[in-house]
Amino acid sequence: MADFQWIGKPLPRKDAPTKATGSAKFTNDISLPNMLHGRILRSPYPHARIRNIETNRAKRLPGVKAVITGRDTPGEKYGVFPDTRDQYLLALDKVRYIGDEVAAVAAIDEEIAQEALNLIEVDYEPLAPVFDPLEALKEGAPVIHEHAPNNVSSEVLIEVGDIEKGFTDSSFVVEERFDVDGLSHCQLEPYTSIASYDRSSRKLSMWMPHQSPFTKQKGLSNTLKIPLENVRVLKSYIGGAFGGRSEVSPCDFCAALLSIQCGRPVKINYSREETFSVTRQKHPWFITIKIGADKNGRLMAAKIKIIADGGAYNSTGPIAISNPHSMWESLYRVPNVSYKAVRAYTNNPIRGAMKGHGVQQLFFASESMMDMLAEKVGLDPLEIRLRNIVEEGEILNSGSRVTSCGLKDSLVKTSEASNFKEKWEKRSGSKGIGIACGTNICGFNMGFRSGSTAYVKFNEEGSATLFTGTTDNGQGNDHMMVQVAAEELGLAVDDINLISADTELTPLDPGSYSMSSTFVSANAVKAAASHARRQLLELAAVELEANVLDLELRDKKVYVKGSPKLGISLKKLIVKGYRKGEPVFGSGHFRPDINYKWDWTKKGQQKGQVTGTYTFGTVVAEVDVDLHTGQVKVLKVTGAHDCGFAINPLAVEGQMEGSFGFALGQALSEKLMMDKGQVMNANFTDYRIPVASDMPDMDSIIVESNDPNGPYGAKEAAESVHPAAIAAIANAIANAAGIRPTALPITPEKILNLLQKKGQRGEGADHL
Amino acid sequence: MADFQWIGKPLPRKDAPTKATGSAKFTNDISLPNMLHGRILRSPYPHARIRNIETNRAKRLPGVKAVITGRDTPGEKYGVFPDTRDQYLLALDKVRYIGDEVAAVAAIDEEIAQEALNLIEVDYEPLAPVFDPLEALKEGAPVIHEHAPNNVSSEVLIEVGDIEKGFTDSSFVVEERFDVDGLSHCQLEPYTSIASYDRSSRKLSMWMPHQSPFTKQKGLSNTLKIPLENVRVLKSYIGGAFGGRSEVSPCDFCAALLSIQCGRPVKINYSREETFSVTRQKHPWFITIKIGADKNGRLMAAKIKIIADGGAYNSTGPIAISNPHSMWESLYRVPNVSYKAVRAYTNNPIRGAMKGHGVQQLFFASESMMDMLAEKVGLDPLEIRLRNIVEEGEILNSGSRVTSCGLKDSLVKTSEASNFKEKWEKRSGSKGIGIACGTNICGFNMGFRSGSTAYVKFNEEGSATLFTGTTDNGQGNDHMMVQVAAEELGLAVDDINLISADTELTPLDPGSYSMSSTFVSANAVKAAASHARRQLLELAAVELEANVLDLELRDKKVYVKGSPKLGISLKKLIVKGYRKGEPVFGSGHFRPDINYKWDWTKKGQQKGQVTGTYTFGTVVAEVDVDLHTGQVKVLKVTGAHDCGFAINPLAVEGQMEGSFGFALGQALSEKLMMDKGQVMNANFTDYRIPVASDMPDMDSIIVESNDPNGPYGAKEAAESVHPAAIAAIANAIANAAGIRPTALPITPEKILNLLQKKGQRGEGADHL
């Protein structure tokens, strides 16, 4: 292990005091002079034609500065993929879900804006709605979009080997259907946009929570028909994203259009109810999964059928249903696969990306199935996994290569640390233990936009400013980037100022998508800092009359290895660079070698490298199931995640604990309750997220597989253990109660139903 | 002449609409959330000891958040040069002029802050003041600073050749004393500072008018004892500088200290009266000048003695009295020189830099003397100048080389355009004509800080962002930088966004001092754009299968010369750069080859290159003098300035007209009226600057000498004609009225006095 000074150490984050003292400015904390406040009028119908919109009364209300409808937009549709754009900035023809944006108002305060909404008269012709994706896909169902008469939003078909033969050759086959409810990301920060359009320069400046300022900039430029260089997205602190802030939002468009119309800044701040109901949600899934194994428990075939409820618009549609396969195929070797997923349009709210898209749904199903298969084969859950797991160097079905793999390590370490085998075999009373694995990816194919660039400049004292386009949604990217630069430059973390996530100031970055920040963006930062480092060493080599290879850069000085007292300070070297006419400056770029192509029209899988690298993990969950009430208490979670290398172990553990919390809610309590397209629990009283007292004991084990391409071997911080933890809890419940949960969340009601079916309800401990 | 697309064209400035519509944000337009307002308590005495300051009553006033005195400062003195620092951030021991900063208050509004000032009790012990610099230099005068018992703030002695022999060898000798009153820069924007200190990150952000954010940053860091990387000076629009915003100001310090104490942003907005009285002013000068010439009118010797009234503190002291010599020596060949200048401390307000420091004072005197000499020799004013002027390639007394020189051109063109000779010889009635020359420099020795660096990055559409540390005080630097980058990159001016003058975002730049923006900073921008251009051409060469040398970059594409239709777009090249893993990025640096060393302790001139290059100009002024009232009407100004090359002729003409306006005020009406250290006319009613109706007809002639080192041959826009115009007006008055003005401003009263002395008062036209 190299002798690192700033990386590999559990460091508190630079932004911690700023956030703890409240001085961090989130978008809603920003107030611009002369700023107006906007509100959006939303459809009360799940499905209706718009006959007419009358805005005159609203416009006449004193304090109202602008009212816009679809007619004031450029009339473009937007969406994540060029060929699946289906949503107007403001509804033009129809509304397709309760909450669909119909008009927007800017006024001198929020109350007047809200009052003006009440004065807008919309003449709706209600249409028959459809809420169940299975119904929506049936012939004769109400058609939501003209371009999709069968309500298919996206579909994916991946076929590997010979699926029929795979099952024929299997000694054991299991099949089951799993249902997963929709979720909200529950970012603590409600969605807020501020747009400031300067009429004289024709420049639009925007602040909002996002996962990449460049994605927002591009979407706004395309859709509003403003040249890219005239749209600037600036940095603000972000209170969580979790995939839910991937796309441009009607909130952004409305703020921008209102600001353009008024020539004044406009802020639109979503209520908590809006944040629950009209921002992207997690897809509800219906999964039918069938797997077969040979007599030794080696997987022979897997047939997966998914129907996803996409809601009213396409959003990240095709990725939402194909991405999970990329993670799934990197867990176990399966020679024969049929993976078919259909995303249906319904009149429900719009579903989009959330933490690896459907990976949690799919792994909940497939990792439950592994336990079911193990039972049939007569193996324990650990053994069947060890017989099937992917290993380093393996080429997956897609053709993608696994460059590093700590999966086996994670299985061994968690099962040992938790004493899994013994506890699993000798389970007693109402307590149970479960194990499950997870994987994830680092970066996906965005063409040239998959790459990140970074710059480092220096002030005359030798301190540095780092420029990176990376977004920090709260996970700690900002600190990580500074840590990496400090390590390369021999500076202290406090000697580096960071300029990040600003389309004007920082170079292109893929954004905080697909776990690419560490693998891609930190790699670019490392390259930029190394570039500057080389210049510093070369300047020092002349000065110290030494060979560059004999020099060390550390503690703000360069010295011949072993003689730290005879060094030359960074400050002097920087000045030397100026005097030489070549000021020290670092520029670096990294793009992962991804060549897999998405081709949605063919619905098939093309061969190639899917992602920069894969991460792996295992979670062992221990639960106590109250057989009388159906209540589940998660007692302990032991998780191991292969992050490649922990640049900041404290941050990796923090992210792992965050994943456990997320998983806990998804496994046991979180769901968006829907009634005819209406979200019924759009608040934190009725929508139950885990709180501190719900959290189990957590043991976070860091596995370091040292990826050959990651920065210092690093990959990503914790995403593998999120799906693993959900499935591990389900498996632990099965172990505890002898029932097989097949639907998320595993509420007390569902447990009691399963127990009842099994004739065990209220029977106490000795149910097995 | 090369076929340029964006430079050499008279282009309206990009910031014009922004300024015209009022959307440009000057410092006082910036309002930060939670911002407090500060006011400064000032000394009512010109000279007094501070016995005690009692702030408790002020602190108890509701709404007051902080009160600071000198005891709350780090106790450091500040000043432009390390060895001449003599001013405390807030007075500690004594006050030395009426307006000296004694305490400062931050409150929730300006009125409460003002009220709090009235509650601060300062116990002063008044000391004997001295206001006349000649008195101050006498033995027994009140001592203002302990370190300067003789009240000498700075002195300069430059000796060349043998001055006594020079006069002995002269056939003609003239000698005269000239007096020049003090002036205000009259920036339209009153001085304002905003400081925002974030306690959690320990970062200080500041906005204020300045000539270089880096100078402010460094001064604040040094004096407030905050690490350089924790002080950020951000860009705001600036309403004029003219040298008067060169230094850190008590306004900056007080805002910063108050913000640090409160943990809230603090704005201090000077009143117009403060802006007149307590910001730096122009030095009043007393000049005795003696010149000798041989029988042909060739200059043999010049003896110059200057006493400058420096006011209470040193400020730019040594530069203020030595800089004019650098300009003066670049006008005429003089083999024997004695130049002695003393800057005296007095109890007047502080005098600092203003447009070339004392060049206007010195040239007013020396160019008046040239006419007086010409009369003795029997030559006309044009001829005597032509016999003495410096030419291209000449090595000056300092050893400095003149790399380009349009001085002769400027003399010939202005005299021809104005029909000078004929009008001068055949003057009639009350009208007269005068001619005078001026020079200036481009950049001076700031060590490695004399150099500028610039960066260019691109967005994926091929548009660019230019990063430069250059400051635009209103003269148009921002637009010029973009024009240069556009020319090099084949982009339109609108395709380039500019990030400038921000210590965190932009690389080190010497600032808008000593006319270095074009020669130094634009050169760095050109270098950065050329660097990117080379990368674009190399990418295109592969694509077009052509030699780089055969390629042209224009109209956002690269093509083989002569075949513009077969080109490849910049957008495609940028994407190719990304795909290749080497995103296009430009970095460039320029530092003028200046090696002259200032050595104030030796008071002597050391040999070396004084500046990057010199500019030259001539002005012919035509006046009408009312011999009854003494009123002077300037009818026409014909000026020629050698700007090297006019990057934007419209801007050069604008700057020339600005110089003419400045000169008009200085020549005829502007002066700070002082009474015992008190400015008596600190407002635009009593302090008379020229208004539009005062302006003469102006003919601005651009001379292009194509400097070998300037960007496209450019040097600076208009500074040579400013001193020339003042002297030309004086010479025209002499021509019109047969009197020799020896004091600025040449008020009607002074003219009537001179006429009276000559016995001509009220005599009408035939006075000669």
Side-chain angles (χ1 to χ4, degrees):
Chain A
M1 172 68 80
D3 174 21
F4 294 123
Q5 224 178 347
W6 295 101
I7 62 162
K9 317 267 174 189
L11 289 182
R13 280 156 55 169
K14 263 186 102 167
D15 57 350
T18 311
K19 285 181 170 165
T21 57
S23 74
K25 298 276 171 261
F26 293 80
T27 302
N28 198 26
D29 295 322
I30 297 169
S31 179
L32 301 177
N34 219 17
M35 190 170 76
L36 300 171
H37 296 266
R39 293 288 295 151
I40 295 174
L41 183 70
R42 303 184 173 283
S43 167
Y45 294 98
H47 198 192
R49 198 169 306 285
I50 297 175
R51 284 205 201 95
N52 188 39
I53 307 179
E54 181 51 57
T55 59
N56 280 337
R57 283 181 63 208
K59 281 178 179 162
R60 284 198 300 267
L61 184 71
V64 170
K65 298 296 173 190
V67 180
I68 56 168
T69 69
R71 292 188 299 269
D72 302 300
T73 68
E76 287 288 308
K77 287 175 178 171
Y78 74 99
V80 174
F81 295 93
D83 50 353
T84 58
R85 290 181 178 149
D86 61 0
Q87 189 171 4
Y88 285 117
L89 311 196
L90 285 169
L92 264 172
D93 51 346
K94 297 211 300 187
V95 288
R96 294 178 175 85
Y97 81 103
I98 296 173
D100 217 344
E101 290 79 13
V102 174
V105 170
I108 55 170
D109 63 37
E110 249 188 311
E111 292 66 30
I112 294 175
Q114 183 60 46
E115 199 183 330
L117 294 189
N118 301 336
L119 299 177
I120 298 173
E121 294 147 53
V122 187
D123 182 6
Y124 291 108
E125 174 193 337
L127 301 171
V130 58
F131 304 111
D132 181 333
L134 303 175
E135 292 298 320
L137 293 172
K138 284 183 185 160
E139 204 150 331
V143 175
I144 298 170
H145 290 271
E146 272 180 26
H147 71 266
N150 51 4
N151 288 327
V152 171
S153 150
S154 305
E155 56 189 324
V156 171
L157 176 62
I158 296 168
E159 289 180 327
V160 179
D162 182 336
I163 187 69
E164 294 313 325
K165 190 168 179 303
F167 282 115
T168 313
D169 294 350
S170 292
S171 306
F172 305 98
V173 174
V174 283
E175 184 170 6
E176 186 61 77
R177 172 174 148 172
F178 295 85
D179 296 353
V180 183
D181 273 317
L183 291 181
S184 169
H185 305 78
C186 298
Q187 304 99 336
L188 282 189
E189 178 194 20
Y191 199 87
T192 306
S193 296
I194 298 178
S196 179
Y197 184 75
D198 179 53
R199 281 178 178 167
S200 58
S201 62
R202 300 186 301 279
K203 305 270 180 201
L204 175 68
S205 297
M206 292 210 61
W207 295 258
M208 80 285 272
H210 57 70
Q211 301 190 216
S212 160
F214 298 98
T215 306
K216 292 279 191 180
Q217 179 198 32
K218 187 89 176 154
L220 287 160
S221 165
N222 284 345
T223 324
L224 298 174
K225 305 283 171 207
I226 298 176
L228 197 68
E229 65 271 20
N230 285 2
V231 180
R232 177 174 176 184
V233 176
L234 293 95
K235 181 178 173 99
S236 50
Y237 280 89
I238 298 173
F242 315 116
R245 280 153 179 191
S246 303
E247 304 168 57
V248 273
S249 152
C251 187
D252 308 331
F253 293 132
C254 290
L257 289 166
L258 289 167
S259 178
I260 290 168
Q261 206 164 97
C262 301
R264 291 171 61 173
V266 175
K267 180 194 277 185
I268 301 180
N269 181 25
Y270 275 9
S271 65
R272 177 59 64 189
E273 195 177 341
E274 281 176 303
T275 300
F276 262 107
S277 311
V278 302
T279 65
R280 303 305 190 235
Q281 305 174 347
K282 190 167 185 68
H283 287 79
W285 268 31
F286 302 98
I287 319 161
T288 309
I289 183 162
K290 179 178 169 186
I291 54 175
D294 69 11
K295 60 183 194 310
N296 298 316
R298 289 207 166 73
L299 292 169
M300 297 297 291
K303 187 171 184 176
I304 300 169
K305 281 182 69 179
I306 295 158
I307 292 178
D309 178 356
Y313 296 101
N314 198 47
S315 178
T316 55
I319 314 182
I321 51 175
S322 67
N323 207 35
H325 175 268
S326 298
M327 290 138 184
W328 178 84
E329 72 154 4
S330 69
L331 182 53
Y332 303 124
R333 265 170 243 120
V334 189
N336 305 291
V337 177
S338 165
Y339 176 94
K340 188 181 178 186
V342 177
R343 185 182 185 277
Y345 281 123
T346 65
N347 295 112
N348 286 317
I350 309 157
R351 279 67 187 253
M354 176 170 165
K355 288 194 101 190
H357 280 98
V359 67
Q360 295 110 28
Q361 295 97 310
L362 182 56
F363 278 49
F364 160 61
S366 65
E367 282 294 274
S368 293
M369 293 293 284
M370 283 303 276
D371 271 28
M372 291 161 72
L373 183 68
E375 200 180 339
K376 274 214 171 174
V377 180
L379 293 171
D380 67 53
L382 178 60
E383 188 51 36
I384 197 166
R385 285 176 171 80
L386 287 170
R387 287 190 188 184
N388 286 288
I389 49 171
V390 155
E391 283 171 37
E392 183 179 308
E394 200 147 330
I395 309 291
L396 307 179
N397 288 336
S398 58
S400 210
R401 188 183 162 83
V402 176
T403 50
S404 63
C405 184
L407 183 52
K408 187 172 176 185
D409 240 23
S410 75
L411 269 163
V412 171
K413 285 183 175 162
T414 47
S415 55
E416 283 178 4
S418 63
N419 201 10
F420 173 77
K421 271 209 166 180
E422 198 185 319
K423 285 185 185 164
W424 185 80
E425 279 161 11
K426 302 183 182 161
R427 59 152 308 288
S428 71
S430 58
K431 292 180 183 171
I433 193 165
I435 194 167
C437 297
T439 70
N440 225 303
I441 58 172
C442 295
F444 74 111
N445 199 354
M446 301 168 71
F448 71 88
R449 288 185 199 85
S450 306
S452 180
T453 308
Y455 309 136
V456 188
K457 84 174 178 80
F458 296 83
N459 71 23
E460 59 192 84
E461 302 284 337
S463 297
T465 305
L466 172 64
F467 291 75
T468 163
T470 329
T471 300
D472 189 329
N473 306 123
Q475 70 277 72
N477 285 339
D478 280 359
H479 186 82
M480 171 171 60
M481 301 305 160
V482 173
Q483 257 185 294
V484 167
E487 188 65 47
E488 289 296 303
L489 293 170
L491 286 170
V493 158
D494 278 344
D495 295 327
I496 299 177
N497 286 336
L498 179 74
I499 300 294
S500 65
D502 182 312
T503 56
E504 193 66 57
L505 304 180
T506 61
L508 192 62
D509 179 86
S512 295
Y513 300 109
S514 302
M515 288 51 74
S516 65
S517 294
T518 306
F519 190 74
V520 180
S521 309
N523 244 329
V525 168
K526 185 169 184 278
S530 298
H531 180 225
R533 178 193 172 88
R534 277 196 301 281
Q535 297 162 44
L536 290 165
L537 292 180
E538 277 160 21
L539 285 165
V542 175
E543 215 53 32
L544 300 170
E545 293 176 356
N547 188 308
V548 164
L549 297 173
D550 298 331
L551 295 178
E552 188 132 21
L553 168 55
R554 207 182 163 100
D555 296 325
K556 305 187 207 181
K557 65 186 171 190
V558 177
Y559 51 86
V560 178
K561 280 169 193 164
S563 311
K565 289 196 177 160
L566 302 174
I568 177 165
S569 74
L570 221 60
K571 175 175 173 169
K572 277 194 187 144
L573 292 170
I574 292 296
V575 169
K576 276 191 188 302
Y578 278 114
R579 293 202 186 279
K580 208 179 143 194
E582 295 170 15
V584 178
F585 177 82
S587 172
H589 180 77
F590 181 82
R591 185 152 61 99
D593 185 20
I594 302 174
N595 50 32
Y596 183 94
K597 282 197 185 138
W598 303 107
D599 186 344
W600 310 114
T601 51
K602 287 190 188 153
K603 297 173 195 137
Q605 180 194 30
Q606 296 191 327
K607 292 282 178 184
Q609 187 71 27
V610 170
T611 181
T613 188
Y614 295 90
T615 63
F616 305 91
T618 302
V619 173
V620 170
E622 296 172 59
V623 303
D624 191 342
V625 182
D626 185 320
L627 299 176
H628 295 279
T629 64
Q631 287 285 354
V632 176
K633 173 81 188 157
V634 179
L635 304 169
K636 180 160 188 185
V637 167
T638 306
H641 171 74
D642 166 21
C643 62
F645 168 80
I647 290 176
N648 187 351
L650 204 60
V652 174
E653 284 170 19
Q655 286 299 97
M656 288 178 73
E657 292 179 2
S659 278
F660 298 150
F662 237 111
L664 188 63
Q666 264 178 280
L668 300 180
S669 66
E670 289 185 51
K671 69 173 282 188
L672 281 166
M673 291 191 281
M674 302 300 303
D675 183 23
K676 299 198 182 92
Q678 175 72 53
V679 178
M680 303 302 289
N681 59 342
N683 58 71
F684 281 129
T685 309
D686 300 319
Y687 184 103
R688 274 287 321 275
I689 57 169
V691 294
S693 58
D694 295 320
M695 291 301 286
D697 280 352
M698 291 177 284
D699 185 3
S700 298
I701 300 166
I702 290 173
V703 172
E704 295 185 326
S705 61
N706 282 298
D707 190 84
N709 305 317
Y712 310 100
K715 305 196 282 193
E716 61 88 12
E719 281 299 306
S720 76
V721 295
H722 180 180
I726 299 170
I729 291 169
N731 287 338
I733 292 170
N735 180 243
I739 51 171
R740 173 52 55 192
T742 58
L744 292 181
I746 312 166
T747 56
E749 192 185 5
K750 286 180 191 156
I751 287 179
L752 292 179
N753 283 342
L754 287 169
L755 286 171
Q756 201 159 31
K757 254 188 230 166
K758 199 169 172 272
Q760 289 280 344
R761 184 169 179 174
E763 290 296 306
D766 295 314
H767 61 278
L768 282 177
Chain B
M1 171 68 78
D3 174 22
F4 293 123
Q5 227 180 343
W6 294 101
I7 60 163
K9 317 267 175 191
L11 289 182
R13 279 156 56 170
K14 264 185 100 167
D15 57 350
T18 312
K19 285 181 170 166
T21 57
S23 74
K25 297 275 172 263
F26 293 80
T27 302
N28 199 26
D29 296 323
I30 297 168
S31 179
L32 302 177
N34 220 18
M35 190 170 75
L36 300 172
H37 297 266
R39 293 287 295 151
I40 295 175
L41 182 70
R42 302 185 174 283
S43 166
Y45 293 97
H47 198 192
R49 198 169 305 285
I50 297 175
R51 284 205 201 95
N52 187 39
I53 307 178
E54 181 53 57
T55 59
N56 280 337
R57 282 180 64 208
K59 280 179 179 162
R60 283 199 301 267
L61 183 71
V64 169
K65 298 297 173 188
V67 180
I68 55 168
T69 69
R71 292 188 300 269
D72 301 300
T73 67
E76 287 288 309
K77 287 177 179 171
Y78 75 99
V80 175
F81 295 93
D83 49 354
T84 58
R85 290 183 180 149
D86 61 1
Q87 188 171 5
Y88 285 117
L89 313 196
L90 284 169
L92 265 172
D93 51 346
K94 295 212 300 187
V95 288
R96 294 178 174 85
Y97 81 104
I98 295 172
D100 217 345
E101 290 79 13
V102 173
V105 171
I108 55 169
D109 62 37
E110 250 188 310
E111 290 67 31
I112 295 175
Q114 183 60 46
E115 199 183 329
L117 293 189
N118 302 336
L119 299 176
I120 298 173
E121 294 147 55
V122 188
D123 182 7
Y124 291 107
E125 174 194 338
L127 301 171
V130 58
F131 304 112
D132 180 334
L134 304 176
E135 292 298 319
L137 294 172
K138 285 183 184 161
E139 204 151 328
V143 175
I144 298 170
H145 290 273
E146 272 179 27
H147 70 266
N150 51 3
N151 288 327
V152 171
S153 149
S154 305
E155 55 189 324
V156 171
L157 176 63
I158 296 168
E159 289 179 328
V160 178
D162 183 335
I163 187 68
E164 295 313 323
K165 189 170 180 301
F167 282 115
T168 312
D169 293 351
S170 294
S171 307
F172 305 98
V173 173
V174 284
E175 184 169 5
E176 185 61 79
R177 172 174 148 172
F178 296 85
D179 295 354
V180 183
D181 272 317
L183 289 182
S184 170
H185 305 78
C186 296
Q187 304 99 336
L188 281 188
E189 179 194 19
Y191 199 88
T192 306
S193 296
I194 298 179
S196 179
Y197 184 74
D198 180 53
R199 281 178 177 167
S200 58
S201 62
R202 299 187 302 279
K203 305 270 179 201
L204 174 68
S205 298
M206 292 211 63
W207 295 258
M208 78 286 272
H210 57 69
Q211 301 189 216
S212 160
F214 297 98
T215 306
K216 292 280 191 179
Q217 179 198 31
K218 188 88 176 155
L220 287 160
S221 165
N222 284 347
T223 325
L224 298 174
K225 304 281 170 209
I226 299 175
L228 198 67
E229 65 272 18
N230 285 3
V231 181
R232 177 175 177 184
V233 176
L234 293 95
K235 181 180 173 99
S236 50
Y237 281 90
I238 297 172
F242 314 116
R245 279 150 181 193
S246 304
E247 304 168 58
V248 274
S249 151
C251 188
D252 308 331
F253 293 131
C254 290
L257 288 166
L258 289 167
S259 178
I260 290 167
Q261 206 163 98
C262 302
R264 291 170 64 171
V266 175
K267 180 194 278 185
I268 302 180
N269 181 25
Y270 276 9
S271 64
R272 176 59 65 188
E273 194 177 340
E274 281 175 302
T275 301
F276 263 107
S277 312
V278 302
T279 66
R280 302 307 190 234
Q281 305 174 347
K282 190 165 185 68
H283 287 78
W285 268 33
F286 303 97
I287 318 162
T288 308
I289 183 162
K290 178 178 170 187
I291 53 174
D294 68 11
K295 61 183 191 310
N296 299 315
R298 290 208 164 75
L299 292 169
M300 296 298 291
K303 188 170 185 177
I304 299 170
K305 282 182 70 179
I306 295 159
I307 292 178
D309 178 356
Y313 296 101
N314 198 47
S315 178
T316 55
I319 314 182
I321 50 174
S322 66
N323 207 34
H325 175 268
S326 298
M327 290 135 185
W328 178 83
E329 71 154 4
S330 69
L331 182 52
Y332 303 123
R333 265 170 245 121
V334 189
N336 305 292
V337 177
S338 165
Y339 176 95
K340 188 181 178 185
V342 177
R343 185 182 185 276
Y345 281 124
T346 66
N347 293 112
N348 286 317
I350 309 158
R351 279 67 187 253
M354 177 171 165
K355 289 193 98 190
H357 279 96
V359 66
Q360 296 110 27
Q361 294 99 310
L362 182 55
F363 279 49
F364 160 61
S366 64
E367 282 294 275
S368 293
M369 293 294 284
M370 283 304 276
D371 271 27
M372 291 162 72
L373 183 68
E375 200 181 337
K376 275 212 171 176
V377 179
L379 293 171
D380 68 52
L382 177 61
E383 187 51 39
I384 198 166
R385 285 176 170 82
L386 287 170
R387 287 189 186 184
N388 286 287
I389 50 172
V390 155
E391 283 172 39
E392 184 180 307
E394 200 147 330
I395 309 291
L396 307 178
N397 287 336
S398 59
S400 211
R401 187 184 161 83
V402 175
T403 51
S404 62
C405 183
L407 182 53
K408 188 173 176 184
D409 240 23
S410 75
L411 269 164
V412 170
K413 284 183 174 161
T414 47
S415 54
E416 282 178 5
S418 63
N419 199 11
F420 172 76
K421 271 208 167 181
E422 197 185 319
K423 285 184 186 166
W424 185 79
E425 280 160 12
K426 301 183 183 164
R427 60 151 309 285
S428 69
S430 58
K431 291 180 183 173
I433 192 165
I435 195 167
C437 297
T439 70
N440 225 302
I441 57 171
C442 295
F444 73 111
N445 199 354
M446 300 168 71
F448 71 87
R449 289 185 198 86
S450 305
S452 181
T453 308
Y455 309 137
V456 189
K457 84 173 178 81
F458 296 83
N459 71 23
E460 59 194 85
E461 302 285 337
S463 297
T465 305
L466 172 64
F467 292 75
T468 163
T470 331
T471 300
D472 189 329
N473 306 122
Q475 70 277 73
N477 285 339
D478 281 359
H479 186 82
M480 171 171 62
M481 301 304 161
V482 172
Q483 258 185 292
V484 167
E487 187 65 47
E488 288 296 302
L489 293 169
L491 286 170
V493 158
D494 278 344
D495 295 327
I496 299 178
N497 287 335
L498 179 74
I499 300 295
S500 65
D502 183 312
T503 56
E504 193 65 56
L505 305 179
T506 61
L508 191 62
D509 179 84
S512 295
Y513 299 109
S514 303
M515 289 50 75
S516 65
S517 295
T518 306
F519 190 74
V520 179
S521 310
N523 244 329
V525 168
K526 185 169 185 278
S530 298
H531 180 225
R533 177 193 173 88
R534 278 197 300 282
Q535 297 162 45
L536 290 165
L537 292 180
E538 277 161 20
L539 285 164
V542 175
E543 215 54 32
L544 299 171
E545 294 175 356
N547 189 308
V548 164
L549 297 174
D550 298 330
L551 296 177
E552 189 134 20
L553 169 53
R554 206 181 164 101
D555 294 327
K556 304 187 207 181
K557 65 186 172 192
V558 177
Y559 51 86
V560 177
K561 279 170 194 163
S563 311
K565 289 198 176 158
L566 301 174
I568 179 166
S569 74
L570 222 61
K571 175 176 175 168
K572 277 194 186 143
L573 293 170
I574 292 296
V575 169
K576 276 192 186 301
Y578 277 116
R579 292 203 188 280
K580 208 179 145 193
E582 296 170 14
V584 178
F585 177 81
S587 172
H589 180 77
F590 181 83
R591 185 151 62 99
D593 185 22
I594 302 174
N595 50 31
Y596 182 95
K597 281 196 184 138
W598 303 108
D599 187 342
W600 309 114
T601 50
K602 287 188 188 156
K603 296 174 195 137
Q605 180 195 29
Q606 295 192 328
K607 292 282 176 183
Q609 187 71 28
V610 169
T611 181
T613 188
Y614 295 90
T615 61
F616 304 91
T618 303
V619 172
V620 170
E622 296 172 59
V623 302
D624 190 343
V625 181
D626 185 320
L627 301 175
H628 294 280
T629 64
Q631 287 284 354
V632 175
K633 173 81 187 159
V634 179
L635 304 169
K636 180 158 188 184
V637 167
T638 305
H641 171 74
D642 166 21
C643 62
F645 167 79
I647 289 176
N648 187 352
L650 204 59
V652 174
E653 284 170 20
Q655 286 299 97
M656 287 177 74
E657 292 179 2
S659 277
F660 297 150
F662 236 110
L664 188 63
Q666 263 178 281
L668 301 180
S669 65
E670 289 186 51
K671 71 174 280 186
L672 282 166
M673 291 190 282
M674 302 300 302
D675 183 25
K676 298 196 182 95
Q678 174 73 52
V679 178
M680 302 303 288
N681 59 341
N683 59 69
F684 282 129
T685 309
D686 300 318
Y687 184 102
R688 272 287 322 275
I689 56 168
V691 293
S693 58
D694 295 319
M695 292 300 287
D697 281 351
M698 291 178 284
D699 185 4
S700 299
I701 299 166
I702 291 173
V703 171
E704 295 185 326
S705 61
N706 282 297
D707 191 83
N709 304 317
Y712 310 100
K715 305 197 281 192
E716 61 88 11
E719 282 298 309
S720 76
V721 294
H722 181 178
I726 299 171
I729 291 170
N731 287 339
I733 291 171
N735 181 243
I739 52 172
R740 172 53 57 191
T742 57
L744 290 182
I746 313 167
T747 56
E749 192 187 3
K750 285 181 192 157
I751 286 181
L752 292 180
N753 282 342
L754 287 170
L755 286 171
Q756 202 160 30
K757 255 188 230 167
K758 199 170 172 270
Q760 290 280 342
R761 183 168 179 176
E763 290 298 305
D766 296 312
H767 62 279
L768 282 178

